[in-house]
Amino acid sequence: MTFCTETLPDPLPANPLVVAAQWLAQATLDAVEPNPNAMVLATVDTRGHPSARVVLCKEIAAQPGFILFYTNYQSHKGRDLLGNPKAAIVFHWDYPHRQVRAEGQVEPLSDAENDTYFRTRPWQSRLGAWASEQSRPVESRHALVSAIAATARRFGIPYQGPGTPEPDDVAVDVPRPPNWGGFRLYADAVELWVEGEFRIHDRARWTRTLPEQQGAASRTPWSVTRLQP
């Protein structure tokens, strides 16, 4: 098997999220993988039970130091994060042989921020956010499609759900459900990894201390060390 000859920068950068954001942008530009912004999100509930799933990252903001994603606040992950605001994420881009891991504190976005992003979503996705009680049991696929059709009627949209013809033009504004929004994961630990030949990978881990309130300017600088593969 042929590996890339890339290694991590030397000297290691002061802020690992600058590199992570560059890697995400490059994976998006290369378009080799169908969802380059897919990341595993791991949470722990108030009983200490872990859970993991794949979500879509909407932004890596390197300077404030957060990773942004959206969900239903009443979903399994949403309830976990509201009850225990700690999380870990993993990006793995197989084609360029790169991986990013991050851990840290999580906080929900404001209503205004959530409203602004929700308006950018396709109307079909906005309907789905209203119709789906994410992570809750559903009687059948038909029941879910019926719920979407009922939601469409509620907002005056002539649509019967997935698998049916869509109207050519939908001018109706579908507002954001109050239980839908985003989270910021403020990273206090980040690991960058580049795959190496014969499993001699290149790894480094950055850590820092976060304040109790994310608006404070007292975040400590990152400390970094290389790790053995």
Side-chain angles (χ1 to χ4, degrees):
M1 180 181 295
T2 301
F3 289 91
C4 64
T5 57
E6 178 187 25
T7 58
L8 295 175
D10 192 7
L12 292 166
N15 185 343
L17 290 175
V18 171
V19 178
Q22 292 170 345
W23 285 1
L24 175 58
Q26 187 63 53
T28 302
L29 182 64
D30 291 343
V32 175
E33 301 173 67
N35 292 295
N37 63 332
M39 66 182 187
V40 175
L41 170 69
T43 59
V44 178
D45 66 19
T46 54
R47 300 170 297 169
H49 295 176
S51 183
R53 75 290 288 160
V54 175
V55 300
L56 297 180
C57 171
K58 294 304 178 181
E59 182 183 5
I60 298 177
Q63 296 309 323
F66 65 76
I67 296 164
L68 178 65
F69 59 94
Y70 292 85
T71 189
N72 184 318
Y73 287 145
Q74 295 178 358
S75 66
H76 187 158
K77 59 186 173 295
R79 296 194 306 273
D80 280 1
L81 292 169
L82 292 174
N84 184 7
K86 303 280 189 179
I89 64 92
V90 180
F91 292 94
H92 184 82
W93 298 290
D94 197 51
Y95 177 75
H97 311 284
R98 293 168 172 170
Q99 181 171 281
V100 175
R101 297 176 57 231
E103 304 154 13
Q105 304 173 14
V106 174
E107 68 175 23
L109 273 62
S110 68
D111 287 343
E113 291 170 310
N114 287 331
D115 289 342
T116 297
Y117 176 73
F118 193 75
R119 284 192 292 268
T120 70
R121 305 185 87 211
W123 63 265
Q124 299 92 330
S125 297
R126 283 183 275 167
L127 282 182
W130 278 98
S132 173
E133 297 181 7
Q134 194 175 104
S135 303
R136 301 295 201 279
V138 64
E139 180 182 349
S140 64
R141 177 70 179 177
H142 175 74
L144 178 60
V145 172
S146 296
I148 294 171
T151 303
R153 291 194 298 271
R154 172 183 172 184
F155 290 105
I157 300 173
Y159 178 55
Q160 296 301 311
T164 66
E166 298 181 0
D168 293 331
D169 185 24
V170 175
V172 177
D173 180 33
V174 180
R176 177 182 63 88
N179 62 333
W180 189 96
F183 286 99
R184 292 186 187 91
L185 187 157
Y186 280 92
D188 56 26
V190 174
E191 181 180 316
L192 302 181
W193 175 96
V194 177
E195 187 174 9
E197 194 172 15
F198 305 118
R199 299 192 179 274
I200 306 301
H201 313 310
D202 203 13
R203 296 174 62 192
R205 182 175 175 85
W206 288 254
T207 57
R208 65 175 177 172
T209 301
L210 294 176
E212 290 297 325
Q213 298 296 325
Q214 292 300 341
S218 59
R219 299 187 188 97
T220 61
W222 291 100
S223 298
V224 60
T225 183
R226 285 189 178 272
L227 300 177
Q228 297 188 53

